[in-house]
Amino acid sequence: MSEHNEIDRVSGRSTTGHEWDGIKELNTPLPRWWVLTFYATIIWAIGYWVVYPAWPLVSGYTTGLFQYSTRASVATDLADLEKLRGEKMAVLGNASLADIEKDPALLALARARGKTVFADNCAPCHGSGGAGAKGYPNLNDDDWLWGGSLDQIMQTIQFGARSGHAKTHEGQMLAFGRDGVLKKDEIVTVANYVRSLSGLSTAPKFDATAGKKLFTENCTSCHGDNGKGNPELGAPNLTDQIWLYGSDEEALVETITNGRAGVMPAWVGRLDPVTVKALAVYVHSLGGGK
Amino acid sequence: MNKPVPPDELMTDEDGPLYAPRKKVYPQSVSGRFRSIKWRLMAVCLGVYYLLPFVRWHRGLGAPDQAVLIDFPNRRFYFFFIELWPQEIYYFTGLLVLAALALFLMNALGGRIWCGYLCPQTVWTDLFYAVERLVEGDRRAQIKADAGPMTAKRAGRRALKHAIWLMIAWWTGGAWVLYFADAPTLVRDLATFQAPAIAYVWIAMLTASTYLLAGYMREQVCVYMCPWPRIQAALTDEWALNVTYKYDRGEPRCSVKKAFDIRSLGEKAGDCIDCNQCVAVCPTGIDIRDGAQLGCIQCGLCIDACDAVMTKVSRKTGLIGYDNDINVQRRVAGKQEIFKPVRARTVVYAGLITVVCAVMLYALMSRTLLDVNVLHDRNPIAVRLSDGAIRNGYTLRFLNKRGFDRVIAIDVDGPADAKLHVIGADSVTPDRPMIVLARDTTTELRVLVTAPLDERAEKSVPVTFRVTDIGLGEVASATDHFVLP
């Protein structure tokens, strides 16, 4: 800036000596507090570089004075959270399933915990509200392949069905058509008979006697004499109105021809025992539990 | 190219610079009617603020006994006999509406009464001025000291002033936090450093803001920071009484002796002797004789100062007084002064205030102490059971606002033959679930309604949950819908 001492007549202030098209610039310095704040931010920034990880290097970065890292901080926060939950979760872990359902406070806790865990782990198959889909059971209704009591639900969550775990539920719907046990027309007849068991309409030329015979010969060992199913084998009740894979003739023919073997993964080892317990209580409280 | 205009021609007397550096205001002490009103109001305002947390109010066992308490951890607000829940936050909306209307009414009647007498900024600044005058002397002494060198005596006085200011500011912050916890306990905890950190943070923040706003910012808060003068200017009308210099009587200004000479010639001389006392006492440093202006908080201290001078020179008091422009013009025209406190604007404000008060009072009196809310399951919205019946799930939330546990029964009216099942109910009588609601809490329950509906039924049927207090017979209900898949 050039040396000058021109005073503007209107404002009584000095000018900077700069002039554009006859307009002169007044010398109006920033307020002192502003300048000081600016310097303070510079000092702050330098302190920041020293204390926190700040500068990228060729292979790594400056770690700062206290080796602060957001990753470590998150880990600490999570550990703190677990500690905070610890006491309540311990109570949940020590209570029996039946006791949890009787105690409103424990039930609320288990439901809250179960709900979040359900959303993270179960919702992809069973839906966010447990309503299921074709092939994935609805957990809100009262029909349970492997039993709907608290203990049975917990058992299923822990070890799954056809999951490969040593204690898993085993049992499968055979592929009567693919394996050549039944012929095509026999399969259609059985399918119609199964529909008649739950009061659904049947095809006009359907031979009920033949259907009953075929059913007794091939199906009763798993589904029972009356078709009421068997939770020991995961064999569904064929007389009710709930159909995992659909109730129309086409779906039934498909089922009988190729069989069904849906898999429920085992959660033991992936979820801790208290969480599984909370999950069982939550699923049971959806309303279908027996 | 235009010929440059000489700067002197651009300047007129009225156009000052848009920004002027602050000139420190040294308001002189004054005594009189408005000063004593201000002292009394200050005592009331500060007294209420500092002492209210210590007032007790018995509410029964287990409930806090502080008359005014904002209990954030338990989400309750206590105001003497009133206990409000978060759901009832609309009462505060009502209070805010009421406060706004009261401000409007005050404004329509007497101008910025709020600014001059009740605003915390005014009250604390006034208190800080009083301390300043007590320690450093009145206006003249302060101006003289500021112009002179810094002596040890002066430095000592200044330090004392700041110490007292800081003490007042600190106690102001301290009183604030007492509204959020049991006051005597908190005072003890604060003293023994057992109180939560947030309490100290708030005390520090309010100490700083009180010290800065009342000690340093002072009138600048009113002129630059506060929106009310701007809003007020749009709300006022020509009838509102304002602190007014009666220029019809005061002008032209001249000394007592000169006025005597002029008057003896039979010409008009004003009553204002241009003694500048009204300017000297003004806490915002304005000249009221320039007419109504933004910087005037209408505290009336200039009235006291002017009246004292008028009495001294044996003239009628009231040269500056609560008046309005209409009367100035009427006096000039030789007409009678008129005051009209009752007019459309004030009647409307007063009417609205009455209506809001009545609505709030009614709402408060008819406030339910047992309540139920219902939330329908969204996913799945309905479930078909193995026997073909339909089931809908709901979450019921019960509010027991009484100070004791109560047993309630839950009934459902909805589709024919509907059955109610409560998940985890601790006491269930056949077909009529009963549960215990703990005192002063909300309880959430999941309930299932099952009805033997088939495809021919209507897609959606209203369902009402009725909650009956078995002991008191109080009933609350909530309605939702029962839907088919």
Side-chain angles (χ1 to χ4, degrees), chain B residues 30-38 110 112-113 115-117 122 242-244 278 281-283 288 296-308 320-322:
Chain B
V30 63
S31 58
R33 187 150 59 114
F34 293 98
R35 182 64 262 186
S36 67
I37 292 174
K38 268 174 78 75
R112 286 159 66 177
I113 296 175
C115 296
Y117 299 91
T122 292
N242 286 316
V243 175
T244 310
C278 54
V281 300
C282 180
I288 188 67
C296 177
I297 58 168
Q298 297 180 15
C299 59
L301 293 183
C302 50
I303 303 180
D304 284 344
C306 189
D307 281 355
I320 303 175
Y322 274 95

Side-chain angles (χ1 to χ4, degrees), chain B residues 1 140 146 171 215 218 281 299 301 313 329 340 365 380 388 415:
Chain B
M1 212 173 144
R140 263 170 228 280
D146 277 2
W171 188 237
R218 296 178 169 182
V281 300
C299 59
L301 293 183
V313 300
Q329 269 142 37
K340 239 168 83 176
M365 291 305 167

Side-chain angles (χ1 to χ4, degrees), chain B residues 8 31 206 255 262 280 282 300 325 337 345 413 447 482:
Chain B
D8 289 344
S31 58
L206 284 157
S255 70
I262 293 171
C282 180
D325 260 5
E337 290 181 353
R345 182 186 284 258
D413 297 326
V447 302
F482 187 90

Side-chain angles (χ1 to χ4, degrees), chain A residues 28-281:
Chain A
T28 311
L30 291 168
R32 195 161 31 145
W33 68 266
W34 200 103
V35 177
L36 290 178
T37 310
F38 177 59
Y39 292 148
T41 59
I42 293 174
I43 294 167
W44 175 267
I46 293 169
Y48 199 98
W49 295 341
V50 176
V51 174
Y52 285 100
W55 287 97
L57 303 176
V58 176
S59 59
Y61 54 91
T62 56
T63 51
L65 270 188
F66 307 119
Q67 266 73 46
Y68 171 85
S69 104
T70 45
R71 186 187 291 264
S73 150
V74 168
T76 319
D77 285 353
L78 283 177
D80 287 350
L81 185 68
E82 284 307 318
K83 218 169 116 190
L84 195 71
R85 282 177 178 165
E87 216 169 290
K88 285 182 167 180
M89 287 302 150
V91 176
L92 211 57
N94 292 331
S96 75
L97 282 170
D99 286 345
I100 293 173
E101 288 223 327
K102 274 186 214 140
D103 183 332
L106 277 182
L107 177 65
L109 178 65
R111 270 179 55 77
R113 175 80 176 139
K115 191 173 182 176
T116 53
V117 178
F118 188 91
D120 286 346
N121 299 284
C122 318
C125 291
H126 291 284
S128 58
K134 187 178 171 185
Y136 300 99
N138 183 346
L139 305 176
N140 291 269
D141 64 28
D142 58 347
D143 193 32
W144 294 85
L145 288 174
W146 304 96
S149 75
L150 260 175
D151 289 327
Q152 286 168 324
I153 289 173
M154 180 138 163
Q155 176 85 4
T156 307
I157 295 171
Q158 278 179 306
F159 306 117
R162 296 178 277 270
S163 67
H165 190 277
K167 291 190 189 171
T168 193
H169 290 309
E170 287 295 355
Q172 52 183 316
M173 173 72 192
L174 299 173
F176 289 91
R178 204 174 57 207
D179 296 347
V181 181
L182 293 176
K183 289 188 208 75
K184 234 180 190 161
D185 59 327
E186 288 174 327
I187 290 173
V188 173
T189 308
V190 176
N192 274 287
Y193 178 73
V194 169
R195 275 176 65 81
S196 75
L197 285 179
S198 50
L200 296 168
S201 63
T202 50
K205 292 174 286 178
F206 162 62
D207 180 353
T209 329
K212 190 178 165 100
K213 186 164 172 289
L214 282 166
F215 187 84
T216 313
E217 283 166 7
N218 297 286
C219 314
T220 47
S221 57
C222 290
H223 291 283
D225 292 342
N226 305 317
K228 291 230 182 256
N230 181 359
E232 292 290 309
L233 300 168
N237 182 348
L238 303 176
T239 64
D240 65 17
Q241 304 204 10
I242 293 168
W243 297 87
L244 188 53
Y245 294 95
S247 63
D248 54 66
E249 193 188 290
E250 201 185 333
L252 285 168
V253 167
E254 162 70 19
T255 301
I256 300 165
T257 308
N258 293 317
R260 300 285 186 188
V263 173
M264 159 83 180
W267 292 93
V268 68
R270 298 164 79 175
L271 298 175
D272 64 86
V274 183
T275 302
V276 170
K277 211 175 207 177
L279 202 47
V281 172

Side-chain angles (χ1 to χ4, degrees), chain B residues 118-416:
Chain B
L118 299 168
C119 173
Q121 175 64 21
T122 292
V123 170
W124 264 278
T125 303
D126 220 14
L127 182 65
F128 273 44
Y129 272 135
V131 170
E132 192 169 59
R133 280 195 287 262
L134 197 71
V135 178
E136 295 194 88
D138 208 347
R139 176 179 159 88
R140 263 170 228 280
Q142 285 182 40
I143 293 175
K144 211 175 137 194
D146 277 2
M150 176 65 81
T151 60
K153 194 178 166 195
R154 208 183 133 213
R157 281 184 169 180
R158 181 155 286 194
L160 177 64
K161 176 184 82 176
H162 286 289
I164 299 175
W165 276 2
L166 275 171
M167 261 169 59
I168 296 172
W170 169 72
W171 188 237
T172 302
W176 175 262
V177 299
L178 297 183
Y179 284 90
F180 297 87
D182 183 59
T185 318
L186 186 58
V187 168
R188 197 194 58 212
D189 288 351
L190 283 169
T192 54
F193 297 102
Q194 307 283 309
I198 190 75
Y200 294 103
V201 170
W202 271 99
I203 292 176
M205 276 173 15
L206 284 157
T207 305
S209 60
T210 308
Y211 177 70
L212 288 176
L213 292 183
Y216 288 93
M217 304 291 289
R218 296 178 169 182
E219 82 284 351
Q220 297 174 95
V221 174
C222 313
V223 178
Y224 297 112
M225 291 165 69
C226 180
W228 178 232
R230 270 91 176 160
I231 303 168
Q232 188 266 352
L235 281 166
T236 196
D237 64 5
E238 70 276 27
W239 291 100
L241 290 178
N242 286 316
V243 175
T244 310
Y245 165 65
K246 295 167 184 168
Y247 57 85
D248 57 310
R249 194 188 130 190
E251 301 294 319
R253 304 165 199 177
C254 49
S255 70
V256 177
K257 193 168 164 286
K258 207 170 163 199
F260 184 79
D261 293 345
I262 293 171
R263 280 172 188 171
S264 64
L265 293 171
E267 282 173 38
K268 184 181 184 293
D271 273 351
C272 175
I273 61 166
D274 212 3
C275 66
N276 260 326
Q277 279 302 294
C278 54
V279 179
V281 300
C282 180
T284 60
I286 59 152
D287 188 342
I288 188 67
R289 294 170 300 175
D290 293 344
Q293 54 202 287
L294 192 74
C296 177
I297 58 168
Q298 297 180 15
C299 59
L301 293 183
C302 50
I303 303 180
D304 284 344
C306 189
D307 281 355
V309 171
M310 286 297 116
T311 311
K312 237 179 251 170
V313 300
S314 310
R315 283 181 184 162
K316 207 162 85 61
T317 58
L319 176 56
I320 303 175
Y322 274 95
D323 202 354
N324 57 33
D325 260 5
I326 291 182
N327 279 331
V328 173
Q329 269 142 37
R330 286 179 73 91
R331 282 195 300 272
V332 171
K335 289 186 200 156
Q336 197 73 31
E337 290 181 353
I338 49 165
F339 297 99
K340 239 168 83 176
V342 180
R343 40 186 214 276
R345 182 186 284 258
T346 56
V347 169
V348 168
Y349 289 151
L352 285 174
I353 288 174
T354 316
V355 168
V356 175
C357 279
V359 168
M360 282 183 63
L361 203 66
Y362 174 76
L364 207 57
M365 291 305 167
S366 58
R367 178 174 176 260
T368 55
L369 297 173
L370 175 69
D371 209 352
V372 57
N373 297 317
V374 58
L375 185 69
H376 195 290
D377 275 8
R378 279 188 244 170
N379 179 18
I381 200 157
V383 176
R384 184 174 296 280
L385 298 183
S386 52
D387 63 356
I390 307 300
R391 192 170 64 198
N392 280 201
Y394 304 87
T395 301
L396 294 186
R397 181 176 278 277
F398 308 97
L399 289 77
N400 177 11
K401 295 179 190 169
R402 287 199 187 271
F404 46 82
D405 296 356
R406 54 199 343 198
V407 179
I408 56 149
I410 309 163
D411 299 294
V412 63
D413 297 326

